[in-house]
């Protein structure tokens, strides 16, 4: 990340924060539903990951669809690395696409732990991120609410992979700290 990109990323993050109350409300709503569902079914549910996942998905929906006027943008770019540019603003879009899916990679293993088949966790996260990103790009093209680019799918999946490994590293670190303090 070039330091010249930081002002552009900061401005876009500031704009994204405008929707934070709605995202938190969506998270609270999902957490309340999960709480009542677990009472009815007598089965423990991961309330905090459900809250975070719902808040993230609402924010994602708002960022990739609802901030754009329908019919305002329609193009399809299947070229590889076409979004990488010489301008700091152009490259900030690449970095923002990676950042957009970091939470996906962090939250996926928390919400879907696959305790019986841990070896399935990473491929499931990777496939889910790919399908989600490809779905976003497809809907953006069909509704003309965004520029559909192969690079967006690649950078989104890259962000999910980085987030997945951040989650794994933080879990290992927490386990090591827990063992050291005993």
């Amino acid at each position: 990340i070039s330091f010249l990109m930081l002002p552009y990323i900061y401005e876009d993050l500031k704009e994204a924060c405008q929707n934070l109350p709605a995202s938190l409300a969506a998270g609270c709503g999902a957490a309340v539903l999960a709480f009542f569902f677990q009472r009815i079914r007598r089965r423990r549910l991961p309330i905090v990951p459900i809250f975070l996942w719902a808040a993230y998905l609402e924010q994602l929906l708002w960022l990739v669809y609802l901030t754009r006027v329908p019919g305002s943008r329609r193009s399809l770019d299947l070229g590889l690395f076409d979004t990488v540019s010489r301008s700091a603003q152009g490259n900030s879009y690449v970095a923002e696409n990676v950042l957009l899916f970091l939470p996906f990679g962090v939250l996926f293993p928390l919400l879907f732990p696959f305790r019986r088949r841990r070896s399935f966790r990473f491929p499931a996260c990777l496939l889910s991120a790919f399908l989600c990103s490809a779905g976003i790009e497809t809907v953006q093209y069909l509704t003309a609410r965004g520029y559909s680019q192969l690079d967006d799918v690649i950078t989104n999946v890259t962000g999910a992979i980085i987030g997945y490994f951040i989650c794994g590293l933080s879990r290992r670190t927490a386990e090591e700290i827990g063992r050291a303090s005993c």
Side-chain angles (χ1 to χ4, degrees), residues 63-179:
L63 286 170
V64 299
Y65 297 125
L66 302 178
T67 59
R68 301 164 182 184
V69 178
S72 64
R73 305 169 183 149
R74 176 174 286 169
S75 74
L76 180 62
D77 181 5
L78 299 177
L80 198 54
F81 305 117
D82 283 352
T83 55
V84 177
S85 71
R86 294 185 185 270
S87 76
Q89 185 173 18
N91 287 330
S92 70
Y93 298 141
V94 174
E96 288 171 6
N97 273 320
V98 172
L99 293 173
L100 186 66
F101 267 67
L102 267 172
F104 191 102
V106 170
L107 296 173
F108 188 88
L110 298 177
L111 194 58
F112 306 105
F114 297 111
R115 285 186 176 90
R116 293 186 185 145
R117 298 197 138 231
R118 287 183 182 237
S119 62
F120 184 68
R121 191 182 307 162
F122 178 71
C125 180
L126 189 66
L127 179 63
S128 298
F130 171 78
L131 292 174
C132 183
S133 181
I136 288 169
E137 295 303 315
T138 301
V139 172
Q140 280 183 337
Y141 180 76
L142 294 174
T143 61
R145 285 184 183 246
Y147 303 116
S148 298
Q149 299 173 304
L150 177 61
D151 285 356
D152 287 357
V153 175
I154 292 169
T155 54
N156 289 342
V157 171
T158 300
I161 291 169
I162 293 168
Y164 180 88
F165 285 113
I166 288 171
C167 180
L169 286 172
S170 64
R171 277 186 169 179
R172 275 191 222 110
T173 303
E175 288 170 3
E176 289 173 10
I177 291 170
R179 280 188 291 234

Side-chain angles (χ1 to χ4, degrees), residues 30-64:
V32 167
L33 287 174
F35 176 77
F36 285 118
F37 184 77
Q38 88 177 1
R39 292 279 187 200
I40 292 168
R41 303 277 295 171
R42 298 188 191 275
R43 184 175 162 214
R44 289 192 48 83
L45 293 172
I47 301 288
V48 172
I50 288 172
F51 165 80
L52 293 171
W53 190 254
Y56 167 69
L57 290 178
E58 195 284 330
Q59 186 73 10
L60 183 66
L61 175 72
W62 185 76
L63 286 170
V64 299

